């Protein structure tokens, strides 16, 4: 009861005009930043083709052969301790940039032409998906013409085939807290370090498409979702400030009067966004002014309810469409993508499901007795021990 009353008191502050535009966030707990990522890395199906758009706005279409190479990279990530979904994303960004996900032979090593390949490259003596060079110690020609070997070498670590040098992703201290493109560059050591970020949206699309059916429970929609076990506040206790309430306000971007359909939790970039209830992921991706968005659907008091989590970091979506989640699960990382003036989580609540009208999240959370979750209590479901 004391916990509920404390939440009610905090949410009541949103009624004051002074609180409406407050945007003070606390830095996230470093222990959380290094926690494992969420979402299954089991590849469920490889489509015949997939079209995605780069950060520069170029549309590219990948064929089944390229997507099969991507599946190898994802599967290897799932088999390598400490890599997780974030590591798989970085590896896909690197392979897209270096080879467009093709196993490339090279005339500099005629032997490479005798192995199964997807074409030839001509960058020095580079080979394969990640354009690794035998002359710099990445492996033999025979090894580097094998996709799973290249993926294991890219991930590196004490059990990697190239340990201790050249270093792979797991050999880079603090890689989990770095920009994904910077990590890819740290492994690849390219003469063009800024190019990896361009393929991040494509890598995210591939990761979602190849793993989207890998849920954590039975059934595929919220209609069969059991009643949730609890309701929680979507940001760890003590890590946020409520910055903008539900209702009419002066839009901080346009300066015009506009209706705000959610509740904003200002917090440091990278702070965990938590599922407010047990549910299933029905939408992930970059969606207009919402930026990087996750939508969950739940069964609450016998009713379908959708919750939306907007403005997440690039690379900060930690779940896949079709995946089951539990209340308090770390589903994403708070950011400032889309129509946003600073890092915060924009939470929406829509009784009846996604596409229905929003209600005041502050009142809804209070009415349902939403419990705060401490940093140390976040449920990192799906993490390897």
């Amino acid at each position: 009861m004391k916990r509920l009353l404390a939440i009610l008191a905090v949410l009541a502050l949103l009624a004051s005009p002074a609180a409406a535009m407050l945007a003070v966030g606390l830095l996230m707990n470093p222990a959380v930043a290094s926690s494992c990522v969420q979402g299954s890395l089991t590849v469920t199906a490889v489509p015949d083709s997939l079209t995605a758009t780069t950060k520069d706005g170029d549309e590219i279409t990948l064929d089944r052969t390229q997507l099969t190479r991507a599946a190898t990279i994802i599967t290897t990530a799932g088999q390598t301790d400490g890599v997780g979904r974030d590591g798989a994303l970085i590896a896909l960004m690197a392979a897209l940039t270096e080879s467009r996900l093709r196993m490339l032979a090279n005339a500099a090593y005629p032997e490479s032409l005798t192995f199964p390949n997807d074409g030839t490259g001509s960058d020095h003596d580079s080979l394969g998906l990640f354009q690794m060079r035998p002359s710099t110690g990445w492996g033999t020609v025979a090894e580097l013409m094998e996709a799973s070997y290249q993926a294991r070498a890219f991930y590196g670590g004490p059990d990697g085939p190239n340990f201790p040098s050249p270093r792979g992703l797991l050999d880079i201290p603090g890689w989990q807290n770095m920009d994904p493109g910077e990590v890819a560059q740290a492994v690849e050591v390219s003469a063009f370090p800024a190019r990896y970020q361009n393929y991040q949206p494509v890598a995210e699309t591939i990761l979602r498409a190849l793993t989207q059916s890998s849920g954590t429970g039975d059934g595929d929609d919220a209609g069969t979702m059991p009643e949730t076990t609890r309701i929680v506040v979507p940001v760890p206790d003590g890590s946020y400030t409520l910055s903008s309430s539900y209702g009419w306000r002066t839009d901080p971007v346009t300066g015009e009067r506009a209706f705000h359909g959610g509740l904003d939790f200002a917090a440091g970039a990278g702070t965990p966004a938590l599922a407010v209830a047990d549910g299933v992921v029905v939408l992930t991706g970059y969606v207009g002014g919402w930026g990087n968005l996750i939508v969950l659907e739940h069964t609450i008091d016998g009713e379908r309810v959708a919750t939306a989590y907007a403005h997440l970091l690039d690379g900060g979506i930690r779940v896949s469409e079709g995946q089951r989640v539990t209340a308090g699960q770390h589903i994403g990382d708070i950011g400032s993508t889309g129509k946003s003036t600073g890092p915060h989580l924009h939470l929406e609540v829509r009784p009846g499901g996604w596409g229905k009208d929003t209600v005041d999240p502050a009142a809804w959370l209070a009415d349902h007795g939403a419990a705060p979750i401490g940093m140390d209590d976040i449920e990192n479901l799906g993490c390897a021990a």
Side-chain angles (χ1 to χ4, degrees):
M1 179 60 70
K2 289 182 178 178
R3 177 177 290 181
L4 174 57
L5 290 174
I7 295 171
L8 287 168
V10 172
L11 294 175
L13 292 175
L14 287 170
S16 72
M21 296 307 297
L22 184 61
V24 179
L26 300 179
L27 294 177
M28 70 176 292
N29 188 327
V32 174
S34 62
S35 65
C36 57
V37 296
Q38 304 306 312
S40 172
L41 284 175
T42 301
V43 174
T44 56
V46 177
D48 290 334
S49 66
L50 181 67
T51 299
T53 304
T54 68
K55 187 168 287 188
D56 288 345
D58 297 322
E59 187 174 88
I60 64 172
T61 298
L62 303 170
D63 61 25
R64 186 175 179 83
T65 297
Q66 292 165 297
L67 295 172
T68 298
R69 302 304 188 194
T72 297
I73 291 170
I74 295 168
T75 299
T76 304
Q79 297 169 342
T80 307
D81 289 345
V83 174
R85 201 172 184 86
D86 283 353
L89 175 73
I90 293 166
L92 289 171
M93 290 168 60
L96 281 162
T97 304
E98 295 293 341
S99 69
R100 196 64 71 90
L101 283 169
R102 294 176 297 160
M103 176 55 69
L104 297 180
N106 193 320
Y109 288 101
E111 177 190 354
S112 68
L113 301 171
T114 67
F115 292 93
N117 64 78
D118 306 325
T120 57
S122 58
D123 182 17
H124 298 88
D125 60 340
S126 300
L127 297 171
L129 298 171
F130 297 97
Q131 291 292 277
M132 294 172 171
R133 303 174 65 181
S135 62
T136 58
W138 281 105
T140 67
V141 171
E143 288 171 334
L144 293 177
M145 291 305 296
E146 203 275 307
S148 63
Y149 175 92
Q150 282 231 350
R152 286 185 287 116
F154 182 88
Y155 295 132
D159 296 325
N162 46 300
F163 186 77
S165 178
R167 67 178 184 171
L169 176 143
L170 293 174
D171 305 311
I172 300 169
W175 69 268
Q176 299 94 333
N177 301 321
M178 296 168 59
D179 176 86
E182 292 177 355
V183 181
Q185 167 63 13
V187 177
E188 294 288 345
V189 195
S190 168
F192 305 96
R195 59 182 181 157
Y196 299 103
Q197 284 92 342
N198 188 44
Y199 282 98
Q200 183 167 337
V202 180
E204 291 169 345
T205 300
I206 293 170
L207 199 52
R208 289 194 297 269
L210 269 60
T211 63
Q212 66 179 355
S213 298
S214 51
T216 58
D218 297 327
D220 59 1
D221 64 31
T224 59
M225 187 70 197
E227 183 77 21
T228 189
T229 56
R230 59 175 176 159
I231 309 293
V232 304
V233 178
V235 183
D237 197 34
S239 69
Y240 67 88
T241 298
L242 296 169
S243 58
S244 191
S245 59
Y246 179 85
W248 290 97
R249 66 172 185 174
T250 299
D251 189 293
V253 175
T254 66
E256 299 176 353
R257 182 170 169 77
F259 191 84
H260 184 233
L263 173 64
D264 290 351
F265 297 77
T271 300
L274 313 177
V276 302
D278 303 340
V280 62
V281 183
V282 298
L283 175 67
T284 63
Y286 193 98
V287 183
W290 281 302
N292 290 320
L293 176 71
I294 296 172
V295 177
L296 309 179
E297 289 197 344
H298 323 267
T299 300
I300 299 171
D301 296 334
E303 178 185 27
R304 180 187 293 259
V305 176
T307 56
Y309 310 77
H311 307 305
L312 301 173
L313 277 177
D314 284 332
I317 294 176
R318 294 174 173 259
V319 289
S320 304
E321 292 174 14
Q323 181 181 336
R324 291 294 180 90
V325 299
T326 62
Q329 183 173 329
H330 182 180
I331 58 171
D333 301 324
I334 291 175
S336 187
T337 56
K339 186 181 178 184
S340 172
T341 58
H344 72 284
L345 176 69
H346 172 86
L347 174 73
E348 293 188 4
V349 178
R350 296 172 180 256
W354 185 239
K356 301 298 184 180
D357 291 337
T358 60
V359 298
D360 185 350
W364 187 89
L365 289 171
D367 289 344
H368 289 82
I373 298 292
M375 282 287 195
D376 295 334
D377 298 325
I378 294 173
E379 298 181 22
N380 289 303
L381 300 184
C383 294

